[in-house]
Amino acid sequence: MGKLALAAKITHVPSMYLSELPGPRQGFRKPAIDGHIEIGRRCRELGVDTIVVFDTHWLVNANYHINCGPQFQGLYTSNELPHFIANMEYEFPGNPELGRLLAEECNRQSVETMAHDATTLAPEYGTLVPMRYMNADRHFKVVSVSALCTSHYLNDSARLGWAMRKAVEEHYDGTVAFLASGSLSHRFAQNGQAPDFATKVWSPFLETLDHRVVRMWEDGDWEDFCAMLPEYAVKGHGEGFMHDTAMLLGALGWSKYDGKAEVVTPYFGSSGTGQINAIFPVTPQDGSAIPAAQASNPAGVASTSRL
């Protein structure tokens, strides 16, 4: 019925908002902002009606959660970096119908997921920052998915991504984009050193690792990337333990994905972390490589591995 038209891995660094404001950093995140604007343009061109964001700033300790209220509006100040994002206005429509369909299919595929359509829960800045630039005219409906998952298996996140694609394709009458909103390496600069790392990555090891990953994406080396994702998430200090990336790759077919990433905003450093905007073409997939749900499997629960 419906269509997953666009998938992307995106940055949401709060310095994008800071870049708008008068001061010494004004304009320095223009490439990242332009990348968001381009992704929004592509979504419009493809007829997308709803953007689903896998948000690594929405921390959850149990279950997967979907924020699918009918409308979002307010002023946002980051509790993490209130000197970067303070009193940022936001407003866009939600999509309760799609949110419920996503949760229903995830549960059918043994990934316990809850949709919240009657809630005062506000989106986090992993959703708010990209929507500021992709959706300033409130053209798209928005659904936010928890992706800072503290006690979850990467297998389940991959299965969740696939289930959400199936929900769109089999039960939704519309066109959707999936965005994995999170960094590559996510090792912040030490307190007091942040200004020195405003445009740098924390260490040569992490920067080299990230560049190698980006090359794998551009070359379509998905079997090797999916195999190394659990270790990359740990040794690369992956944001949200890289659950947003697992969700995105699950939606794309996991290790059998056969597309190649298109970098829209080249890799850059921000406060020590590694960032990018990249689009992943959606290709036909049969789901045969998607990992089985793990938390619902007694043998899986006994495992100490996230994957």
Side-chain angles (χ1 to χ4, degrees), residues 123-146:
E124 294 292 336
Y125 80 70
T127 299
L128 297 177
V129 169
M131 288 308 99
R132 182 173 182 83
Y133 306 110
M134 296 182 192
N135 198 25
D137 60 356
R138 304 189 278 283
H139 177 83
F140 303 112
K141 299 175 183 178
V142 180
V143 172
S144 186
V145 179
S146 58

Side-chain angles (χ1 to χ4, degrees), residues 170-188:
E170 297 175 6
H171 305 291
Y172 182 64
D173 184 15
T175 304
V176 177
F178 286 174
L179 305 180
S181 182
S183 72
L184 286 91
S185 64
H186 200 66
R187 173 55 163 90
F188 273 98

Side-chain angles (χ1 to χ4, degrees), residues 9-22:
K9 172 78 171 179
I10 62 166
T11 183
H12 59 236
V13 288
S15 53
M16 293 170 70
Y17 180 65
L18 190 67
S19 176
E20 295 181 34
L21 307 178

Side-chain angles (χ1 to χ4, degrees), residues 4 40 149 166 197 253 274:
L4 175 61
C149 302
K166 291 292 98 183
F197 284 87

Side-chain angles (χ1 to χ4, degrees), residues 22-185:
R25 297 295 185 186
Q26 188 171 23
F28 86 129
R29 289 290 180 235
K30 186 176 185 300
I33 292 171
D34 288 348
H36 279 194
I37 292 170
E38 173 62 15
I39 291 170
R41 186 193 69 77
R42 302 268 190 108
C43 286
R44 286 169 171 78
E45 192 175 69
L46 292 165
V48 168
D49 61 76
T50 302
I51 294 176
V52 176
V53 184
F54 305 138
D55 188 336
T56 56
H57 265 267
W58 182 1
L59 183 152
V60 292
N61 294 322
N63 305 104
Y64 291 90
H65 296 271
I66 299 170
N67 190 350
C68 55
Q71 181 71 23
F72 301 104
Q73 182 176 3
L75 286 174
Y76 177 82
T77 298
S78 167
N79 63 339
E80 177 191 3
L81 295 163
H83 56 307
F84 276 34
I85 303 181
N87 300 315
M88 183 178 75
E89 294 182 359
Y90 66 90
E91 182 179 1
F92 42 79
N95 191 332
E97 175 200 1
L98 177 59
R100 290 190 292 265
L101 292 173
L102 296 175
E104 288 167 5
E105 185 61 31
C106 289
N107 284 305
R108 274 193 290 269
Q109 297 205 26
S110 301
V111 180
E112 192 170 355
T113 306
M114 300 179 183
H116 305 275
D117 58 0
T119 178
T120 59
L121 183 65
E124 294 292 336
Y125 80 70
T127 299
L128 297 177
V129 169
M131 288 308 99
R132 182 173 182 83
Y133 306 110
M134 296 182 192
N135 198 25
D137 60 356
R138 304 189 278 283
H139 177 83
F140 303 112
K141 299 175 183 178
V142 180
V143 172
S144 186
V145 179
S146 58
L148 175 44
C149 302
T150 65
S151 52
H152 303 62
Y153 297 102
L154 284 173
N155 272 353
D156 286 1
S157 290
R159 172 63 58 175
L160 175 139
W162 178 252
M164 288 190 171
R165 176 174 177 171
K166 291 292 98 183
V168 169
E169 293 178 341
E170 297 175 6
H171 305 291
Y172 182 64
D173 184 15
T175 304
V176 177
F178 286 174
L179 305 180
S181 182
S183 72
L184 286 91
S185 64

